[in-house]
Amino acid sequence: MNTQAKVAVQTQTKTSTNMMVIAFAAFVGLGMITIAGHLQAAALHDAAHDVRHATGFPCH
Amino acid sequence: MLTRVITTALFAGFITGIIAAILQFALIQPLLLHAELFENGTLTHFGDAGAGTTGHMVWLGLDPQRDLLSILFSAIIYTGYSFLLVAGISLAAEQGHHISPRSGLIWGFAGFIALHLAPAMGLPPELPGAGAADVAARQVWWFGTVAATALGLWLIAFGKSPITWAIAVLALAIPHIIGAPHPDLFTGPVPPELAAHFSARAIGVGLVCWSILGLLAGYFWSKEADS
């Protein structure tokens, strides 16, 4: 493998790792908003109630 | 990059969540507590034999447990927003776009439009007791609107052809063409004056907080050296 090809492979690996990090961040964000903002479990709903209204999430 | 993403998202989100909680106590909570007096029947709209109901708010005091939970969940939800925003920012950075506090502000505006303003155009932030359609149906519309609006804004920002922009406009419009689920009957006990004020304040506070979130995300992103 020549140097150019090695650099290309390294760049590709870095890009796919970065894409996984981005997907991870999106997943964490969506998960936090879904659990804290939208799950209807009574304890969660009551605890997050006022913030859900303030952020305009469908609450009741 | 993982360190940079997590550091940026946590710092920007947590700080904004605390600011959002303070703004909530100052501007939103008094209206919410006033509305609860109508919800639980302490006050009646058009009470006193139709003479109207006092528009003056009563200071209802603090409720430590309730207010601490609000601070906690404000921090969690804004950290969640922050992770989504940083996912978008890092995807753009990956494609070679420069990120600064200044461009972060624009990211914040876009986040506000996608997660606050566009859903609010169909489902305005509501007071406790407001008449509304089935919560599951509204949540489906909410998530669909957020996804379509985010896609539309991304295509407007980074698209390079008129066809992409046409798809973007379509993505922005579709949720509102379908329309949000609304109740068959308006049964809310809360005066519309109060509800309108609440909606406006919730949206306004949302804009302030998203602006701060975008600025901070841009700041921490550009400060953190890529690792």
Side-chain angles (χ1 to χ4, degrees), chain B residues 159-171:
Chain B
K160 290 189 176 65
S161 73
I163 296 169
T164 322
W165 293 323
I167 296 170
V169 171
L170 202 62

Side-chain angles (χ1 to χ4, degrees), chain A residues 14, chain B residues 1-8 218-227:
Chain A
K14 193 175 177 218
Chain B
M1 183 167 176
L2 183 63
T3 323
R4 192 181 197 182
V5 164
I6 292 176
T7 313
T8 306
Y219 170 75
F220 286 115
W221 180 268
S222 47
K223 198 166 172 277
E224 278 290 313
D226 205 352
S227 46

Side-chain angles (χ1 to χ4, degrees), chain A residues 18 38 50 53 57 60, chain B residues 29 66 94 126 138-139 142:
Chain A
N18 285 353
H38 290 86
D50 295 355
H53 278 280
F57 295 151
H60 297 277
Chain B
Q29 202 74 2
R66 181 174 179 169
E94 188 71 359
E126 67 195 28
R138 284 182 293 142
Q139 287 178 334
W142 189 92

Side-chain angles (χ1 to χ4, degrees), chain B:
Chain B
M1 183 167 176
L2 183 63
T3 323
R4 192 181 197 182
V5 164
I6 292 176
T7 313
T8 306
L10 283 182
F11 278 124
F14 188 79
I15 295 170
T16 310
I18 299 299
I19 296 171
I22 294 168
L23 289 174
Q24 179 179 333
F25 293 136
L27 295 169
I28 295 176
Q29 202 74 2
L31 297 171
L32 201 146
L33 295 177
H34 196 175
E36 281 184 346
L37 297 177
F38 289 93
E39 191 187 17
N40 65 25
T42 309
L43 291 175
T44 314
H45 188 210
F46 296 122
D48 296 334
T53 318
T54 174
H56 299 292
M57 290 196 203
V58 190
W59 168 246
L60 292 163
L62 293 171
D63 178 340
Q65 188 190 344
R66 181 174 179 169
D67 295 340
L68 279 172
L69 281 170
S70 284
I71 297 172
L72 176 70
F73 274 88
S74 182
I76 294 175
I77 287 174
Y78 270 90
T79 306
Y81 286 157
S82 187
F83 267 97
L84 283 179
L85 191 70
V86 173
I89 284 177
S90 48
L91 188 58
E94 188 71 359
Q95 294 174 357
H97 297 283
H98 178 66
I99 306 295
S100 65
R102 205 174 187 183
S103 67
L105 188 60
I106 297 173
W107 277 96
F109 291 156
F112 165 73
I113 293 170
L115 281 108
H116 243 101
L117 186 63
M121 285 169 69
L123 299 170
E126 67 195 28
L127 280 169
D134 174 50
V135 67
R138 284 182 293 142
Q139 287 178 334
V140 168
W141 189 85
W142 189 92
F143 276 105
T145 303
V146 167
T149 309
L151 174 71
L153 292 175
W154 181 277
L155 293 177
I156 286 174
F158 300 115
K160 290 189 176 65
S161 73
I163 296 169
T164 322
W165 293 323
I167 296 170
V169 171
L170 202 62
L172 292 176
I174 280 177
H176 306 283
I177 294 170
I178 294 171
H182 284 290
D184 297 324
L185 293 169
F186 292 133
T187 54
V190 179
E193 293 90 334
L194 201 56
H197 200 180
F198 179 84
S199 276
R201 281 211 172 153
I203 294 170
V205 167
L207 176 58
V208 173
C209 293
W210 273 99
S211 307
I212 295 169
L213 182 63
L215 266 175
L216 289 177
Y219 170 75
F220 286 115
W221 180 268
S222 47
K223 198 166 172 277
E224 278 290 313
D226 205 352
S227 46

